[in-house]
Amino acid sequence: MNKTLVLGLKLLLITAVAALCLSLTNSLTSPVIEAKRQEELSEAFSKVYPDAETFDEIDRAQKDKLPEEVINCYKAMKGSDNIGYVFEISAPGGYGGNIDFTLGVDKDKNVTGFQALSHQESAGFGSKIEEEFFIDGVKGVSMKDEVKASENGNEDNEIVAISGATYSTNAVVGGINIARDALENLK
């Protein structure tokens, strides 16, 4: 019994030291990771709303009215004028899970830009949401009516569907429509 107690105490000491090391490492790296995330968000905001000079987070009362898929929402500002919004969306329904992206929307409810942030979509199929043809196909889409996907995206409220990536396309369309609904709560 004495031998078992000594082994148990040694194991406890080893796990306590390991936990302390992990905790210390986390406390040292988390600010760096958060700074990197903010830098990536800033870069994405500039891509999805290039005309904006700054991006101001919306107030708490407005934020509470937004759907849970909207991670955050920012006012796109040019000087002291609010020229639109940038949404950070986590759209459910992708082939590999949620698709996180930013979406710029002007005052006329037109998409000013789209930028995928993170996803687990299939290489060569769903990952095409990061390619220029798709990003350019989302720009300019009208959100006045429900946004849809089609083979050629000819209508004002349509994006071009990615062949072989129906789940990915539908998730992005769903996320855009979530932002469309959220716009109504921001008035």
Side-chain angles (χ1 to χ4, degrees):
M1 171 144 163
N2 206 9
K3 194 174 187 179
T4 305
L5 183 61
V6 170
L7 285 174
L9 289 174
K10 285 181 181 179
L11 184 58
L12 176 66
L13 181 64
I14 290 169
T15 56
V17 168
L20 180 65
C21 289
L22 286 173
S23 175
L24 181 62
T25 301
N26 183 54
S27 68
L28 292 174
T29 59
S30 63
V32 174
I33 293 169
E34 183 58 27
K36 179 69 174 163
R37 182 186 175 303
Q38 289 302 322
E39 182 182 317
E40 288 171 355
L41 272 178
S42 259
E43 186 179 313
F45 291 172
S46 295
K47 287 181 180 179
V48 301
Y49 217 121
D51 292 343
E53 296 167 354
T54 59
F55 302 94
D56 298 340
E57 194 170 343
I58 62 169
D59 63 48
R60 191 77 188 149
Q62 286 181 310
K63 197 173 186 181
D64 290 341
K65 296 177 185 176
L66 300 178
E68 67 181 271
E69 295 88 356
V70 177
I71 298 168
N72 218 333
C73 181
Y74 302 83
K75 293 177 186 176
M77 305 297 289
K78 189 167 194 170
S80 60
D81 297 330
N82 177 2
I83 59 172
Y85 293 94
V86 173
F87 292 92
E88 188 181 352
I89 306 273
S90 184
Y95 185 73
N98 289 0
I99 298 175
D100 296 345
F101 62 89
T102 55
L103 184 76
V105 183
D106 66 19
K107 288 286 193 173
D108 296 324
K109 295 186 178 182
N110 294 314
V111 175
T112 60
F114 167 88
Q115 180 74 38
L117 295 175
S118 67
H119 62 84
Q120 300 298 316
E121 301 305 283
S122 304
F125 292 99
S127 64
K128 289 183 179 181
I129 62 173
E130 295 180 337
E131 294 183 9
E132 283 303 313
F133 85 91
F134 186 78
I135 293 168
D136 290 342
V138 175
K139 268 185 216 171
V141 168
S142 172
M143 294 172 56
K144 290 177 184 159
D145 295 317
E146 182 180 8
V147 176
K148 300 175 183 172
S150 71
E151 191 175 310
N152 50 22
N154 286 341
E155 299 297 319
D156 288 344
N157 66 324
E158 290 181 344
I159 67 169
V160 176
I162 300 172
S163 179
T166 305
Y167 287 108
S168 306
T169 302
N170 289 342
V172 170
V173 167
I176 292 171
N177 283 318
I178 288 167
R180 179 180 170 271
D181 294 341
L183 277 172
E184 298 304 316
N185 293 323
L186 294 174
K187 291 183 176 180

